[in-house]
Amino acid sequence: MSITEEIEKRKTFGIISHPDAGKTTLTEKLLLFGGAIQSAGAVKSNKIKMHARSDWMEIEKQRGISVATSVMAFDYKNKKINILDTPGHQDFAEDTYRTLTAVDSVIMVIDCVKGVEIQTEKLMEVCRMRNTPVMCFINKLDREGRDPYDLLDEIEEKLNIKVRPLSWPVSMGKTFKGVYSLYNQSLYLFEPSKSKVEDEGLKIGDINDPRIDEHIGESDAAQLREDVELIEGVYPEFDTKEYLAGKVAPVFFGSAVNNFGVRELLDCFIDLAPSPLPRETEERVIVPEEKKFSGFVFKIHANMDPNHRNRIAFVRVCAGKFQRGSNYHHVRANKKIRFSNATAFMAQEKEIVDEAWPGDIVGLYDTGNLKIGDTLSEGEGGMYKGIPSFSPEIFKEVINKDAMKTKQLEKGLNQLMEEGVAQLFTYELGSRKVVGTVGILQFEVIQHRLKNEYGASCDFTPINLFKACWIDSDDPKKLKEFVDSKSRHIARDKEGKLVFMAESRSWLSMVQDNFPDIRFHFTSEF
Ligand code: G4P
């Protein structure tokens, strides 16, 4: 197969949702439809669920929360689908943000009872930064949920994206009858079942077909006709280009746990979702069809084996062919590294891969050379752009509890930061170290791992900070003046970039007014 065919075959996406909306269930069902698992019987599906919620890290096992991002691949109708799973727990949102840098599109799951929730809003902001195409799956139609029109309005309002329903529910909750696909004019009849893969829909062609009345009754049929007329009248015709530009989100309805509505979603997805796209490095735009391999690290997972401090770096292949055993250029370190045991992720297991194509994710065993955001290439310089750190929301100062273990603490902290567990800021004055995170759980993860993996102990004392702002200016003199005048509030991030530690929102805006030549950024890439 040519490289162009390999690229066109691939669809790499992430599923995002507020916890409990049904992301894990939908992932399982997609694997089921893709034939990656044979039946959704309780045992098997639990096994997959466990797999979908990776338990590599001891702390995850203890807490039973999906902390890790795992990757699952399956084939469906001659396409190779790569699903990048994202942690559901909001404290690990930063992990999810980074995973979104490695996907080409996103499926967003929304609970029809709860509507758009806060976590979904945040994730959507990240999608918008890169204009990632989004499809919405409104889940749990077997429950009495909100009115579908209200849900659509809420998505448009809160997520700031236009929507276009491509399927429509016939009633919901106890009287849920099924969904009508506006995409291929078929009626899919609902039958609650956790184990059955739904049949091909009933091809209708014409919404006035009397068979609709036979199947769902006259009154629901009349309502459906009214709804379809209204949708076609109110919403502009679905435009694939607008979807690919991240401007309009097609919406589907279903019930993941009942395997319902999943096939329509998947079929539309493989028709519409983008294959791997060009990506920008500091030097130029790289297209996937290029002969030479390049890719970037978006995730590092440590502690695969507690006896060895090995890590696995997840690399998104962006261009060319990755070949196991080749030497690749580690752009940041400017050295060659050979990867002899690259791993691919299939539905249920990891397996050694010999080659991988754009869109694929390979896992590389690493002993500490790689960190998040690193670029690997077949010779060329220039790091991939668009893998920023976001300003944390919670900040705590690190207090060393065991002076004899200072070195271990430093090393442990550095390595955990390279994995992206949290962000470390070191104040210019006094070298105080402050850890910033999105959620409080990370502090426990850090303490636990420092103790278990590095034998170091630390405490965290809360400090009152609003945001870490990366700063720059066109005028180096002005920047220096600012840094000098605010020296008590200036720190460096792990790359050594200058950061202004703002104590409150109002104070930050006052400082911004007073120093108009300084730019303040909430992400590390600007
Ligand atoms: P998440 O990954 O987004 O956090 O959600 P997950 O799939 O774990 O689903 C959360 C809960 O919602 C699960 O119930 C799941 O069974 C349920 N669920 C998923 N899809 C549907 C649906 O279409 N209809 C209904 N009624 N429920 C759905 P749980 O009780 O937390 O877990 P479990 O014991 O069922 O596994």
Side-chain angles (χ1 to χ4, degrees):
M1 218 186 277
S2 72
I3 182 163
T4 314
E5 285 167 319
E6 294 283 1
I7 293 163
E8 277 170 7
K9 233 183 114 170
R10 279 163 171 77
K11 309 271 176 188
T12 301
F13 76 106
I15 305 184
I16 57 177
S17 74
H18 193 87
D20 268 351
K23 179 171 61 63
T24 313
T25 314
L26 180 65
T27 308
E28 254 177 61
K29 303 305 175 190
L30 290 172
L31 293 178
L32 181 77
F33 278 96
I37 52 174
Q38 298 318 313
S39 77
V43 179
K44 274 226 154 170
S45 75
N46 276 341
K47 203 171 146 208
I48 289 299
K49 190 158 184 164
M50 244 179 65
H51 189 84
R53 297 178 167 185
S54 165
D55 57 357
W56 283 335
M57 276 165 56
E58 198 186 337
I59 194 128
E60 289 171 31
K61 283 189 214 147
Q62 289 175 356
R63 294 179 178 278
I65 304 166
S66 165
V67 181
T69 302
S70 49
V71 183
M72 285 155 284
F74 64 91
D75 292 313
Y76 181 74
K77 295 195 175 168
N78 281 329
K79 300 278 181 218
K80 180 168 181 218
I81 319 269
N82 293 311
I83 307 183
L84 276 57
D85 190 27
T86 52
H89 198 286
Q90 66 205 35
D91 281 11
F92 293 88
E94 175 100 25
D95 225 16
T96 304
Y97 301 158
R98 279 191 302 254
T99 299
L100 293 180
T101 64
V103 302
D104 297 305
S105 70
V106 153
I107 293 181
M108 180 176 283
V109 185
I110 291 172
D111 181 332
C112 75
V113 183
K114 297 191 175 141
V116 175
E117 296 170 87
I118 183 87
Q119 188 67 5
T120 328
E121 287 181 50
K122 285 196 187 162
L123 293 169
M124 188 63 204
E125 276 172 35
V126 179
C127 291
R128 211 170 303 106
M129 283 170 69
R130 298 180 54 238
N131 298 321
T132 308
V134 176
M135 283 187 183
C136 278
F137 182 72
I138 299 187
N139 191 26
K140 307 198 185 181
L141 264 285
D142 58 319
R143 289 201 178 156
E144 267 348 297
R146 307 243 310 269
D147 176 73
Y149 292 108
D150 285 351
L151 286 168
L152 295 179
D153 287 349
E154 189 176 78
I155 296 172
E156 291 206 319
E157 228 168 78
K158 288 198 177 162
L159 302 183
N160 196 8
I161 187 166
K162 284 188 288 173
V163 294
R164 175 61 163 95
L166 287 188
S167 81
W168 196 253
V170 181
S171 191
M172 65 165 63
K174 283 200 187 71
T175 57
F176 181 47
K177 300 247 173 73
V179 292
Y180 176 73
S181 166
L182 296 143
Y183 185 67
N184 63 10
Q185 282 83 37
S186 295
L187 183 66
Y188 296 83
L189 297 169
F190 178 64
E191 196 187 313
S193 161
K194 292 194 180 180
S195 54
K196 190 167 167 283
V197 175
E198 80 198 71
D199 303 322
E200 291 283 343
L202 183 69
K203 278 259 176 257
I204 301 289
D206 178 359
I207 187 74
N208 292 315
D209 190 324
R211 284 179 300 162
I212 298 184
D213 303 65
E214 282 166 32
H215 281 98
I216 61 175
E218 274 177 31
S219 130
D220 279 329
Q223 182 65 49
L224 177 64
R225 287 183 187 112
E226 203 178 292
D227 286 335
V228 170
E229 195 180 310
L230 189 69
I231 293 162
E232 306 287 9
V234 169
Y235 293 98
E237 206 170 316
F238 175 69
D239 179 350
T240 312
K241 274 200 233 83
E242 286 220 307
Y243 156 68
L244 293 175
K247 295 207 171 93
V248 64
V251 179
F252 300 84
F253 293 84
S255 168
V257 78
N258 291 298
N259 299 322
F260 193 78
V262 179
R263 185 200 289 273
E264 295 90 279
L265 175 73
L266 186 56
D267 284 345
C268 280
F269 175 83
I270 60 165
D271 267 6
L272 303 174
S275 293
L277 301 166
R279 280 168 185 261
E280 229 180 304
T281 68
E282 292 158 342
E283 291 179 355
R284 65 188 185 93
V285 172
I286 295 195
V287 296
E289 289 79 6
E290 292 185 19
K291 282 226 161 51
K292 291 192 168 172
F293 159 78
S294 69
F296 65 88
V297 177
F298 65 95
K299 161 100 189 153
I300 289 188
H301 207 133
N303 218 8
M304 308 284 292
D305 172 358
N307 296 321
H308 302 96
R309 199 169 287 153
N310 63 351
R311 321 197 285 185
I312 194 163
F314 292 74
V315 173
R316 148 91 196 206
V317 180
C318 298
K321 179 164 85 165
F322 171 90
Q323 266 179 311
R324 186 161 70 89
S326 299
N327 287 315
Y328 290 122
H329 181 56
H330 178 345
V331 174
R332 177 178 53 84
N334 195 17
K335 64 177 181 186
K336 289 251 180 237
I337 308 189
R338 185 183 161 88
F339 298 100
S340 47
N341 49 0
T343 313
F345 301 89
M346 291 310 282
Q348 296 182 66
E349 63 242 9
K350 304 197 293 291
E351 58 180 41
I352 298 287
V353 278
D354 291 322
E355 56 182 44
W357 299 93
D360 286 342
I361 310 298
V362 287
L364 303 177
Y365 286 91
D366 170 49
T367 48
N369 288 310
L370 296 172
K371 60 182 180 181
I372 287 172
D374 274 349
T375 298
L376 295 174
S377 76
E378 218 171 312
E380 177 162 328
M383 301 274 282
Y384 276 100
K385 285 176 41 178
I387 312 146
S389 299
F390 296 86
S391 173
E393 322 225 326
I394 305 170
F395 298 87
K396 293 190 183 191
E397 186 174 347
V398 183
I399 311 287
N400 186 0
K401 281 208 317 197
D402 184 350
M404 304 291 285
K405 298 278 171 65
T406 306
K407 273 216 168 107
Q408 284 89 330
L409 179 68
E410 292 242 331
K411 184 170 178 198
L413 273 177
N414 280 338
Q415 293 208 350
L416 295 183
M417 299 309 133
E418 279 174 15
E419 278 172 38
V421 176
Q423 293 180 56
L424 186 68
F425 301 95
T426 308
Y427 274 89
E428 290 277 83
L429 285 182
S431 303
R432 283 159 66 209
K433 287 190 187 325
V434 168
V435 167
T437 66
V438 179
I440 48 167
L441 209 52
Q442 274 98 333
F443 292 104
E444 288 173 50
V445 172
I446 293 168
Q447 268 174 330
H448 176 99
R449 290 191 53 190
L450 283 174
K451 184 109 209 121
N452 278 273
E453 294 168 39
Y454 301 92
S457 307
C458 75
D459 264 341
F460 288 109
T461 51
I463 51 172
N464 199 13
L465 283 174
F466 163 61
K467 286 269 157 99
C469 304
W470 283 266
I471 46 174
D472 76 334
S473 171
D474 293 329
D475 183 343
K477 224 175 102 218
K478 289 259 164 47
L479 186 63
K480 183 166 183 320
E481 274 168 26
F482 175 75
V483 168
D484 289 345
S485 74
K486 294 278 175 260
S487 57
R488 278 194 321 115
H489 307 280
I490 301 293
R492 299 256 178 194
D493 74 358
K494 63 179 191 298
E495 313 292 340
K497 286 188 185 162
L498 276 176
V499 179
F500 173 64
M501 308 295 268
E503 281 171 9
S504 70
R505 186 190 295 270
S506 53
W507 185 57
L508 173 62
S509 55
M510 207 174 76
V511 173
Q512 281 174 313
D513 288 346
N514 292 343
F515 293 89
D517 298 309
I518 308 297
R519 284 185 295 260
F520 298 78
H521 311 270
F522 291 139
T523 65
S524 65
E525 214 174 70
F526 34 85

